[in-house]
Amino acid sequence: MARTSVLSVSSVALLCAILAPMTCLNAQVPAAQAPNNSAGIAELYGMLQAIEPYRKTTEVSGKVRVVGSTAMDTVAHMWSTGFKQFHKNVAIEITAAGSADALKQIVGDRKVVAMLSRPVKDDEIEELKKAGVQQPTRFIVAREALGVWVHSSNPLPSISGDQLRAIFTKESSAEIPTWSTLGVTTGPIANKPVKIVLRPETSGTHAFLKEFVFAGAPMREGGQILQSNAEVLSAVSTDPEMITVCGLRASGKSVRSVPLFAGGKPVASDDQAVLSGQYPLTRYLTLIVDMSQTDAQAKASQEFVHFALCQTAQLDAIRAGFFPAELPKLRAGLDQLQGNQLR
Amino acid sequence: MSRRWLLSGDRIAVFVMAIAIALANGALAIAQSRFVDSGARDRDFGFSQWQDTSEWAGGMTSAQVPEWKLGVQADNTETGVVIRSVTPGSAASRMRFEPGDIIITVNGFQVGIVNDGLYDLREELTRRADKEGFVSLIVQDHINRSLHKVQVRLDGSQSALRGELIYRERFTLSPDAIVAINLENVSRPFAVVRNGQVLYRLNSSAPTIPFEINYDPAYITPQDIYQVRATISSGGRTILETRQPARVLTQGNPNQVKLLLSAPATTVGNTGNALAGAPPQVITAGYPNLNTLLQQQVAQVYRQYLEREPFPLEWVTWTMTPGASDRIASLPLELMASQEYFDKVGNSNPLWFASIFQSILGKRPSQREVAEWMRRFAEVGNSRTELLRQLYTQASAKR
């Protein structure tokens, strides 16, 4: 079925009526916490302004089918709403069937936009080609930042990729490290072994750690497995010996995300560091289209990807809990779609 | 990894030659400092990082820089930017650049595709050119493959909107004051103009502030109406704003304007239909372009659904959202569709559904309702957004 509903003006008014009692929009509401760090605001603003705004060069029409990641469903709907402001005669159908299904779908229908909440490997692209997708092309459209979380009383100053690997994989040692080997040499936890908690293997976070961060190294068993970010952080909040990796946008009481040691220095897990690309632990979200397809529907799909790489869509990604892709990645994507620009 | 030191295969060969050229004209020290990074190559997180944050410098400069053009159509490749054609009369044509020539660096910084990222020639020219538009390029001649270091004076952008901000109030503006000037499409607010927004810290307390917006003319549609407006905010409050934005650029309007700034109104009335659109003269506070009422609404919706304040990055996103007062109407549904909300209410479809049902209809769903809506959820391909829209539509219809 086509999913093209957009909140119309009248429905917006109705929504307001329905939600108004809950959102208490009146003058009694305390003033929003005003930020007082104008330098920080200017910096974030500058970073986002550097992303190319979308400009319609040709009008497209027809149906765009976007298939894949459930985690990207919300952001894909936002992109759909934004895209249709520019292209009135486009219908967009979004199906959240999971990242694994996305690759099957593009083999079955080479005009779809496949949506994966993870990076796509070279050999997967080769597989698609063997299956008849002539020119499968990857576009990095957003990032999810992952945090390394500990109890807020845990004094761990920062953690390196190698240390993370030693904790979560059994590649270097069957013995789990103690906190002192990570640099916590005093205090009650110094000689205690690190306790691991993670989300299940079926979660995107776990799969990403295993395949992309630890490059297939055998994961350490025996850690606690909990379903959601919220549960994982809740467990960490009760135990200063515990460590986890989960979404940086998750939040909880009595926990903190540790700076990551990269490029010879600790990198804070803040918005600036993630946006600029200095923060190293981020998971790419990917769209794939077959660039060899040239009919109207394929052109509309390609234009949808173009929109996703531009400013409005990147702001949508932030609203959906992700981060924009790094600027060079966005530009590389635009270049693959358009090429040959006047400079 | 920084592209100043991630060089592979052919590129290394090219750079050895480039450094040889630099050596020949006595500039080795400069070339070394640009291409050799003192940090160790950091692969420990297993995938790429970008440490050259100058790519993000965008609007962070003390004022917007003019855009410079070389005048070429070109293709990005992994060995540089390959010129496809040269615009007659342009800087490139004056330098006798020809199709097939490859531009390898701009002031020592690589252009083209590096480590799957694109370092765009247009951006680099604008970023690296001096005030006069001079840049230094390393170009490979397409005939004999020799490398040349050439000094080029670029063509300036002609598309500038200039003007002055004037204010009469007696203020001593604090050093952290931020000026935000926005060029907006009135006819189609969602059509953002490239380089149409300027935001910088004000380091002056003069009563007249000259400004220049070097917008991208490719984004201007003659049929549309454009306006420019400005705010000055400081210490979390907007202290000056244009009550009356000026029409500019198209439809016979000028490209030079004086904008009168005045103190914002001091109170915000209870408009009753706040979500439907804030009155244009309400005060702005804290974040530029986001009036107090909108700011309260955004914060309230985040508290309601995610039990937290918006993050600074989320705030800045709202300040940049065209038509924010319309967009906020869909924020409750957007937040209820989010992974964060899903996690918060128990990380399962039935728990999530019970929670959105309660929010939208104000009661708990019956078992039959849960079963019915879970069936619909499967029908809509497990799209939370879609299910929320259907539930909301049904709730609206009942009213």
Short mmCIF file of all heavy atoms in Angstrom, two decimals, chain B residues 262-320:
data_model
loop_
_atom_site.label_atom_id
_atom_site.label_comp_id
_atom_site.label_asym_id
_atom_site.label_seq_id
_atom_site.Cartn_x
_atom_site.Cartn_y
_atom_site.Cartn_z
N SER B 262 15.27 46.66 16.64
CA SER B 262 14.80 47.25 17.89
C SER B 262 14.63 46.17 18.94
O SER B 262 14.62 44.97 18.62
CB SER B 262 13.50 48.03 17.67
OG SER B 262 12.71 47.34 16.74
N ALA B 263 14.48 46.62 20.17
CA ALA B 263 14.32 45.64 21.26
C ALA B 263 13.02 44.88 21.04
O ALA B 263 12.02 45.47 20.63
CB ALA B 263 14.30 46.36 22.59
N PRO B 264 13.02 43.60 21.31
CA PRO B 264 11.80 42.84 21.12
C PRO B 264 10.75 43.22 22.16
O PRO B 264 11.07 43.78 23.19
CB PRO B 264 12.25 41.39 21.32
CG PRO B 264 13.56 41.44 21.98
CD PRO B 264 14.15 42.79 21.76
N ALA B 265 9.49 42.92 21.82
CA ALA B 265 8.41 43.15 22.78
C ALA B 265 8.73 42.37 24.06
O ALA B 265 9.39 41.34 24.02
CB ALA B 265 7.09 42.68 22.19
N THR B 266 8.26 42.85 25.17
CA THR B 266 8.69 42.25 26.44
C THR B 266 7.79 41.14 26.93
O THR B 266 8.17 40.38 27.81
CB THR B 266 8.78 43.32 27.54
OG1 THR B 266 7.56 44.04 27.51
CG2 THR B 266 9.95 44.22 27.31
N THR B 267 6.60 41.04 26.40
CA THR B 267 5.71 39.99 26.91
C THR B 267 5.21 39.12 25.76
O THR B 267 5.15 39.54 24.62
CB THR B 267 4.48 40.58 27.61
OG1 THR B 267 3.86 41.48 26.69
CG2 THR B 267 4.86 41.27 28.89
N VAL B 268 4.84 37.94 26.14
CA VAL B 268 4.24 37.02 25.17
C VAL B 268 2.85 36.71 25.66
O VAL B 268 2.67 36.23 26.78
CB VAL B 268 5.05 35.70 25.09
CG1 VAL B 268 4.44 34.78 24.04
CG2 VAL B 268 6.49 35.98 24.78
N GLY B 269 1.86 36.99 24.86
CA GLY B 269 0.50 36.69 25.26
C GLY B 269 0.19 35.23 25.06
O GLY B 269 0.88 34.53 24.33
N ASN B 270 -0.84 34.78 25.71
CA ASN B 270 -1.32 33.42 25.46
C ASN B 270 -2.19 33.48 24.22
O ASN B 270 -3.31 33.96 24.24
CB ASN B 270 -2.12 32.94 26.67
CG ASN B 270 -2.58 31.51 26.46
OD1 ASN B 270 -2.36 30.93 25.41
ND2 ASN B 270 -3.21 30.97 27.47
N THR B 271 -1.64 33.02 23.11
CA THR B 271 -2.35 33.18 21.85
C THR B 271 -3.46 32.16 21.67
O THR B 271 -4.23 32.25 20.75
CB THR B 271 -1.37 33.05 20.67
OG1 THR B 271 -0.79 31.75 20.75
CG2 THR B 271 -0.30 34.09 20.74
N GLY B 272 -3.51 31.15 22.51
CA GLY B 272 -4.59 30.17 22.39
C GLY B 272 -4.30 29.14 21.32
O GLY B 272 -4.31 27.96 21.58
N ASN B 273 -4.00 29.59 20.12
CA ASN B 273 -3.67 28.63 19.06
C ASN B 273 -2.19 28.71 18.75
O ASN B 273 -1.78 28.85 17.61
CB ASN B 273 -4.53 28.88 17.81
CG ASN B 273 -4.27 30.25 17.24
OD1 ASN B 273 -3.70 31.10 17.93
ND2 ASN B 273 -4.67 30.46 16.00
N ALA B 274 -1.44 28.60 19.77
CA ALA B 274 0.01 28.80 19.66
C ALA B 274 0.65 27.97 18.56
O ALA B 274 1.50 28.44 17.82
CB ALA B 274 0.67 28.46 20.98
N LEU B 275 0.19 26.74 18.43
CA LEU B 275 0.85 25.85 17.47
C LEU B 275 0.59 26.26 16.03
O LEU B 275 1.36 25.95 15.14
CB LEU B 275 0.37 24.42 17.68
CG LEU B 275 0.94 23.72 18.91
CD1 LEU B 275 0.21 22.43 19.14
CD2 LEU B 275 2.42 23.44 18.70
N ALA B 276 -0.51 26.94 15.80
CA ALA B 276 -0.88 27.25 14.42
C ALA B 276 0.03 28.30 13.80
O ALA B 276 -0.02 28.55 12.62
CB ALA B 276 -2.33 27.69 14.35
N GLY B 277 0.87 28.90 14.57
CA GLY B 277 1.77 29.89 13.98
C GLY B 277 1.93 31.07 14.92
O GLY B 277 0.94 31.66 15.34
N ALA B 278 3.14 31.37 15.25
CA ALA B 278 3.36 32.44 16.21
C ALA B 278 3.21 33.79 15.51
O ALA B 278 3.54 33.91 14.34
CB ALA B 278 4.76 32.32 16.79
N PRO B 279 2.71 34.78 16.21
CA PRO B 279 2.64 36.11 15.60
C PRO B 279 4.04 36.60 15.27
O PRO B 279 4.99 36.26 15.98
CB PRO B 279 1.98 36.97 16.68
CG PRO B 279 2.06 36.19 17.95
CD PRO B 279 2.16 34.75 17.57
N PRO B 280 4.17 37.36 14.21
CA PRO B 280 5.52 37.69 13.73
C PRO B 280 6.32 38.56 14.68
O PRO B 280 7.53 38.56 14.63
CB PRO B 280 5.25 38.44 12.42
CG PRO B 280 3.83 38.87 12.50
CD PRO B 280 3.12 37.88 13.34
N GLN B 281 5.65 39.29 15.59
CA GLN B 281 6.41 40.23 16.39
C GLN B 281 6.79 39.70 17.77
O GLN B 281 7.31 40.42 18.57
CB GLN B 281 5.64 41.56 16.52
CG GLN B 281 4.48 41.54 17.50
CD GLN B 281 3.24 40.91 16.91
OE1 GLN B 281 3.31 40.23 15.90
NE2 GLN B 281 2.09 41.13 17.52
N VAL B 282 6.50 38.41 18.04
CA VAL B 282 6.85 37.92 19.37
C VAL B 282 8.36 37.89 19.55
O VAL B 282 9.10 37.81 18.59
CB VAL B 282 6.27 36.52 19.69
CG1 VAL B 282 4.77 36.54 19.68
CG2 VAL B 282 6.84 35.48 18.77
N ILE B 283 8.75 37.92 20.80
CA ILE B 283 10.19 38.04 21.05
C ILE B 283 10.92 36.75 20.73
O ILE B 283 10.35 35.67 20.77
CB ILE B 283 10.49 38.46 22.51
CG1 ILE B 283 10.08 37.35 23.49
CG2 ILE B 283 9.83 39.75 22.84
CD1 ILE B 283 10.59 37.60 24.89
N THR B 284 12.15 36.90 20.41
CA THR B 284 13.00 35.74 20.21
C THR B 284 13.95 35.67 21.38
O THR B 284 14.30 36.67 21.96
CB THR B 284 13.81 35.87 18.92
OG1 THR B 284 14.55 37.07 18.99
CG2 THR B 284 12.92 35.88 17.72
N ALA B 285 14.33 34.49 21.74
CA ALA B 285 15.21 34.37 22.91
C ALA B 285 16.15 33.21 22.75
O ALA B 285 15.82 32.20 22.19
CB ALA B 285 14.38 34.17 24.16
N GLY B 286 17.32 33.37 23.30
CA GLY B 286 18.25 32.27 23.38
C GLY B 286 18.86 31.91 22.05
O GLY B 286 19.98 32.28 21.75
N TYR B 287 18.13 31.19 21.27
CA TYR B 287 18.64 30.78 19.98
C TYR B 287 18.14 31.73 18.91
O TYR B 287 16.97 32.10 18.90
CB TYR B 287 18.19 29.36 19.66
CG TYR B 287 18.93 28.35 20.48
CD1 TYR B 287 18.42 27.89 21.67
CD2 TYR B 287 20.18 27.91 20.07
CE1 TYR B 287 19.12 26.98 22.44
CE2 TYR B 287 20.89 27.01 20.83
CZ TYR B 287 20.36 26.54 22.01
OH TYR B 287 21.07 25.66 22.76
N PRO B 288 19.01 32.12 18.01
CA PRO B 288 18.59 33.01 16.95
C PRO B 288 17.48 32.36 16.12
O PRO B 288 17.47 31.14 15.96
CB PRO B 288 19.85 33.22 16.12
CG PRO B 288 20.80 32.18 16.55
CD PRO B 288 20.41 31.74 17.91
N ASN B 289 16.58 33.14 15.63
CA ASN B 289 15.49 32.72 14.74
C ASN B 289 14.43 31.86 15.42
O ASN B 289 13.57 31.31 14.77
CB ASN B 289 15.99 31.92 13.54
CG ASN B 289 17.13 32.59 12.85
OD1 ASN B 289 17.13 33.80 12.76
ND2 ASN B 289 18.09 31.82 12.39
N LEU B 290 14.48 31.71 16.70
CA LEU B 290 13.52 30.84 17.37
C LEU B 290 12.88 31.68 18.47
O LEU B 290 13.52 31.99 19.46
CB LEU B 290 14.25 29.64 17.97
CG LEU B 290 13.44 28.42 18.33
CD1 LEU B 290 12.75 27.86 17.10
CD2 LEU B 290 14.34 27.35 18.92
N ASN B 291 11.62 32.04 18.29
CA ASN B 291 11.05 32.94 19.28
C ASN B 291 10.72 32.19 20.57
O ASN B 291 10.69 30.97 20.63
CB ASN B 291 9.85 33.68 18.72
CG ASN B 291 8.70 32.74 18.41
OD1 ASN B 291 8.30 31.96 19.25
ND2 ASN B 291 8.20 32.82 17.19
N THR B 292 10.46 32.97 21.61
CA THR B 292 10.29 32.40 22.94
C THR B 292 9.18 31.37 22.99
O THR B 292 9.31 30.31 23.59
CB THR B 292 9.97 33.52 23.94
OG1 THR B 292 11.04 34.43 23.90
CG2 THR B 292 9.82 32.99 25.35
N LEU B 293 8.09 31.70 22.30
CA LEU B 293 6.95 30.81 22.33
C LEU B 293 7.30 29.46 21.73
O LEU B 293 7.03 28.41 22.31
CB LEU B 293 5.82 31.47 21.53
CG LEU B 293 4.44 30.87 21.71
CD1 LEU B 293 4.01 30.97 23.16
CD2 LEU B 293 3.45 31.59 20.82
N LEU B 294 7.96 29.51 20.56
CA LEU B 294 8.37 28.27 19.92
C LEU B 294 9.33 27.50 20.80
O LEU B 294 9.25 26.28 20.92
CB LEU B 294 9.08 28.59 18.60
CG LEU B 294 8.21 28.55 17.36
CD1 LEU B 294 9.02 29.00 16.15
CD2 LEU B 294 7.71 27.13 17.15
N GLN B 295 10.21 28.25 21.43
CA GLN B 295 11.21 27.61 22.27
C GLN B 295 10.53 26.89 23.43
O GLN B 295 10.89 25.77 23.79
CB GLN B 295 12.18 28.67 22.79
CG GLN B 295 13.54 28.12 23.10
CD GLN B 295 14.54 29.23 23.29
OE1 GLN B 295 14.61 30.15 22.50
NE2 GLN B 295 15.30 29.17 24.35
N GLN B 296 9.51 27.54 24.01
CA GLN B 296 8.76 26.90 25.10
C GLN B 296 8.05 25.64 24.60
O GLN B 296 8.02 24.62 25.28
CB GLN B 296 7.73 27.87 25.67
CG GLN B 296 8.35 28.98 26.50
CD GLN B 296 7.33 30.01 26.93
OE1 GLN B 296 6.18 29.98 26.49
NE2 GLN B 296 7.74 30.91 27.79
N GLN B 297 7.48 25.76 23.40
CA GLN B 297 6.74 24.62 22.87
C GLN B 297 7.66 23.43 22.62
O GLN B 297 7.35 22.30 22.99
CB GLN B 297 6.05 25.01 21.55
CG GLN B 297 4.90 25.97 21.75
CD GLN B 297 4.45 26.56 20.44
OE1 GLN B 297 4.88 26.14 19.38
NE2 GLN B 297 3.59 27.55 20.51
N VAL B 298 8.79 23.71 22.00
CA VAL B 298 9.73 22.62 21.69
C VAL B 298 10.17 21.94 22.98
O VAL B 298 10.10 20.72 23.12
CB VAL B 298 10.95 23.16 20.91
CG1 VAL B 298 12.04 22.10 20.82
CG2 VAL B 298 10.54 23.60 19.51
N ALA B 299 10.56 22.76 23.97
CA ALA B 299 11.04 22.19 25.23
C ALA B 299 9.94 21.37 25.91
O ALA B 299 10.19 20.28 26.43
CB ALA B 299 11.51 23.31 26.16
N GLN B 300 8.71 21.90 25.85
CA GLN B 300 7.59 21.23 26.51
C GLN B 300 7.33 19.85 25.89
O GLN B 300 7.08 18.87 26.59
CB GLN B 300 6.34 22.12 26.40
CG GLN B 300 5.22 21.70 27.31
CD GLN B 300 5.63 21.74 28.78
OE1 GLN B 300 6.35 22.66 29.20
NE2 GLN B 300 5.22 20.75 29.54
N VAL B 301 7.40 19.78 24.56
CA VAL B 301 7.13 18.51 23.90
C VAL B 301 8.23 17.49 24.22
O VAL B 301 7.96 16.32 24.46
CB VAL B 301 6.97 18.71 22.37
CG1 VAL B 301 6.74 17.38 21.67
CG2 VAL B 301 5.80 19.64 22.08
N TYR B 302 9.47 17.95 24.27
CA TYR B 302 10.56 17.03 24.65
C TYR B 302 10.38 16.53 26.08
O TYR B 302 10.58 15.35 26.36
CB TYR B 302 11.94 17.71 24.49
CG TYR B 302 12.50 17.56 23.10
CD1 TYR B 302 12.18 18.48 22.10
CD2 TYR B 302 13.33 16.50 22.76
CE1 TYR B 302 12.66 18.35 20.82
CE2 TYR B 302 13.83 16.36 21.47
CZ TYR B 302 13.50 17.29 20.51
OH TYR B 302 13.97 17.15 19.24
N ARG B 303 10.00 17.44 26.98
CA ARG B 303 9.79 17.01 28.37
C ARG B 303 8.66 16.01 28.45
O ARG B 303 8.73 15.01 29.16
CB ARG B 303 9.45 18.21 29.25
CG ARG B 303 10.64 19.09 29.55
CD ARG B 303 10.21 20.26 30.46
NE ARG B 303 11.11 21.37 30.27
CZ ARG B 303 10.71 22.62 30.05
NH1 ARG B 303 9.43 22.93 30.02
NH2 ARG B 303 11.61 23.57 29.89
N GLN B 304 7.59 16.31 27.72
CA GLN B 304 6.40 15.47 27.75
C GLN B 304 6.70 14.04 27.27
O GLN B 304 6.30 13.08 27.89
CB GLN B 304 5.34 16.11 26.86
CG GLN B 304 4.10 15.27 26.62
CD GLN B 304 3.08 15.45 27.73
OE1 GLN B 304 3.02 16.52 28.34
NE2 GLN B 304 2.30 14.43 27.97
N TYR B 305 7.39 13.94 26.15
CA TYR B 305 7.52 12.62 25.53
C TYR B 305 8.84 11.92 25.82
O TYR B 305 8.90 10.71 25.82
CB TYR B 305 7.28 12.74 24.02
CG TYR B 305 5.86 13.16 23.74
CD1 TYR B 305 5.54 14.48 23.48
CD2 TYR B 305 4.83 12.23 23.81
CE1 TYR B 305 4.23 14.88 23.28
CE2 TYR B 305 3.51 12.61 23.62
CZ TYR B 305 3.22 13.93 23.35
OH TYR B 305 1.92 14.32 23.18
N LEU B 306 9.90 12.68 25.99
CA LEU B 306 11.20 12.03 26.23
C LEU B 306 11.72 12.28 27.64
O LEU B 306 12.80 11.79 28.01
CB LEU B 306 12.23 12.48 25.19
CG LEU B 306 11.88 12.17 23.73
CD1 LEU B 306 13.00 12.62 22.81
CD2 LEU B 306 11.60 10.68 23.52
N GLU B 307 10.99 13.06 28.42
CA GLU B 307 11.37 13.36 29.81
C GLU B 307 12.77 13.95 29.91
O GLU B 307 13.56 13.58 30.79
CB GLU B 307 11.25 12.09 30.68
CG GLU B 307 9.82 11.61 30.79
CD GLU B 307 9.70 10.27 31.50
OE1 GLU B 307 10.74 9.63 31.74
OE2 GLU B 307 8.56 9.88 31.80
N ARG B 308 13.07 14.82 29.00
CA ARG B 308 14.36 15.51 29.07
C ARG B 308 14.27 16.83 28.29
O ARG B 308 13.33 17.04 27.52
CB ARG B 308 15.47 14.64 28.49
CG ARG B 308 15.33 14.34 26.99
CD ARG B 308 16.60 13.71 26.45
NE ARG B 308 16.47 13.28 25.07
CZ ARG B 308 16.61 14.04 23.99
NH1 ARG B 308 16.85 15.33 24.11
NH2 ARG B 308 16.49 13.54 22.78
N GLU B 309 15.28 17.68 28.51
CA GLU B 309 15.39 18.90 27.72
C GLU B 309 15.99 18.57 26.36
O GLU B 309 16.75 17.60 26.24
CB GLU B 309 16.32 19.90 28.42
CG GLU B 309 15.86 20.35 29.79
CD GLU B 309 14.55 21.11 29.73
OE1 GLU B 309 14.39 21.97 28.85
OE2 GLU B 309 13.68 20.84 30.58
N PRO B 310 15.69 19.34 25.33
CA PRO B 310 16.38 19.11 24.05
C PRO B 310 17.89 19.35 24.21
O PRO B 310 18.31 20.19 24.99
CB PRO B 310 15.79 20.18 23.13
CG PRO B 310 14.54 20.63 23.78
CD PRO B 310 14.74 20.45 25.26
N PHE B 311 18.67 18.56 23.49
CA PHE B 311 20.12 18.78 23.48
C PHE B 311 20.44 20.06 22.69
O PHE B 311 19.65 20.45 21.83
CB PHE B 311 20.83 17.60 22.80
CG PHE B 311 20.62 16.28 23.47
CD1 PHE B 311 20.01 15.24 22.79
CD2 PHE B 311 21.04 16.09 24.77
CE1 PHE B 311 19.81 14.01 23.42
CE2 PHE B 311 20.85 14.86 25.40
CZ PHE B 311 20.23 13.82 24.72
N PRO B 312 21.62 20.67 22.95
CA PRO B 312 21.97 21.88 22.17
C PRO B 312 21.88 21.66 20.66
O PRO B 312 21.40 22.52 19.93
CB PRO B 312 23.42 22.15 22.60
CG PRO B 312 23.51 21.58 23.98
CD PRO B 312 22.61 20.37 23.99
N LEU B 313 22.31 20.49 20.21
CA LEU B 313 22.27 20.24 18.76
C LEU B 313 20.82 20.22 18.26
O LEU B 313 20.52 20.69 17.16
CB LEU B 313 22.96 18.91 18.43
CG LEU B 313 23.10 18.57 16.95
CD1 LEU B 313 23.92 19.63 16.23
CD2 LEU B 313 23.73 17.20 16.76
N GLU B 314 19.93 19.68 19.08
CA GLU B 314 18.51 19.68 18.68
C GLU B 314 17.96 21.10 18.64
O GLU B 314 17.20 21.47 17.74
CB GLU B 314 17.71 18.80 19.66
CG GLU B 314 17.96 17.32 19.43
CD GLU B 314 17.48 16.43 20.57
OE1 GLU B 314 17.32 16.91 21.71
OE2 GLU B 314 17.29 15.23 20.32
N TRP B 315 18.39 21.92 19.61
CA TRP B 315 17.97 23.33 19.58
C TRP B 315 18.45 24.00 18.30
O TRP B 315 17.68 24.72 17.64
CB TRP B 315 18.56 24.08 20.77
CG TRP B 315 17.79 23.99 22.05
CD1 TRP B 315 18.28 23.59 23.25
CD2 TRP B 315 16.42 24.31 22.26
NE1 TRP B 315 17.29 23.63 24.20
CE2 TRP B 315 16.13 24.08 23.62
CE3 TRP B 315 15.40 24.78 21.43
CZ2 TRP B 315 14.88 24.29 24.18
CZ3 TRP B 315 14.14 24.99 21.97
CH2 TRP B 315 13.89 24.74 23.33
N VAL B 316 19.71 23.81 17.98
CA VAL B 316 20.24 24.49 16.80
C VAL B 316 19.50 24.02 15.54
O VAL B 316 19.22 24.80 14.63
CB VAL B 316 21.77 24.27 16.69
CG1 VAL B 316 22.31 24.83 15.38
CG2 VAL B 316 22.48 24.93 17.87
N THR B 317 19.15 22.73 15.53
CA THR B 317 18.37 22.20 14.41
C THR B 317 17.06 22.97 14.26
O THR B 317 16.66 23.34 13.15
CB THR B 317 18.09 20.70 14.66
OG1 THR B 317 19.33 20.03 14.74
CG2 THR B 317 17.25 20.11 13.56
N TRP B 318 16.43 23.24 15.39
CA TRP B 318 15.17 24.01 15.32
C TRP B 318 15.40 25.43 14.82
O TRP B 318 14.57 25.98 14.10
CB TRP B 318 14.46 24.00 16.68
CG TRP B 318 13.68 22.75 16.84
CD1 TRP B 318 14.07 21.62 17.50
CD2 TRP B 318 12.41 22.44 16.24
NE1 TRP B 318 13.12 20.64 17.36
CE2 TRP B 318 12.09 21.12 16.61
CE3 TRP B 318 11.52 23.15 15.44
CZ2 TRP B 318 10.91 20.49 16.19
CZ3 TRP B 318 10.35 22.53 15.04
CH2 TRP B 318 10.05 21.22 15.41
N THR B 319 16.52 26.05 15.20
CA THR B 319 16.75 27.43 14.74
C THR B 319 16.95 27.47 13.23
O THR B 319 16.74 28.49 12.61
CB THR B 319 17.99 28.09 15.39
OG1 THR B 319 19.17 27.50 14.82
CG2 THR B 319 18.01 27.92 16.88
N MET B 320 17.34 26.35 12.66
CA MET B 320 17.61 26.34 11.21
C MET B 320 16.44 25.79 10.41
O MET B 320 16.52 25.70 9.19
CB MET B 320 18.84 25.46 10.93
CG MET B 320 20.13 26.07 11.44
SD MET B 320 21.51 24.94 11.20
CE MET B 320 21.52 24.78 9.42
#
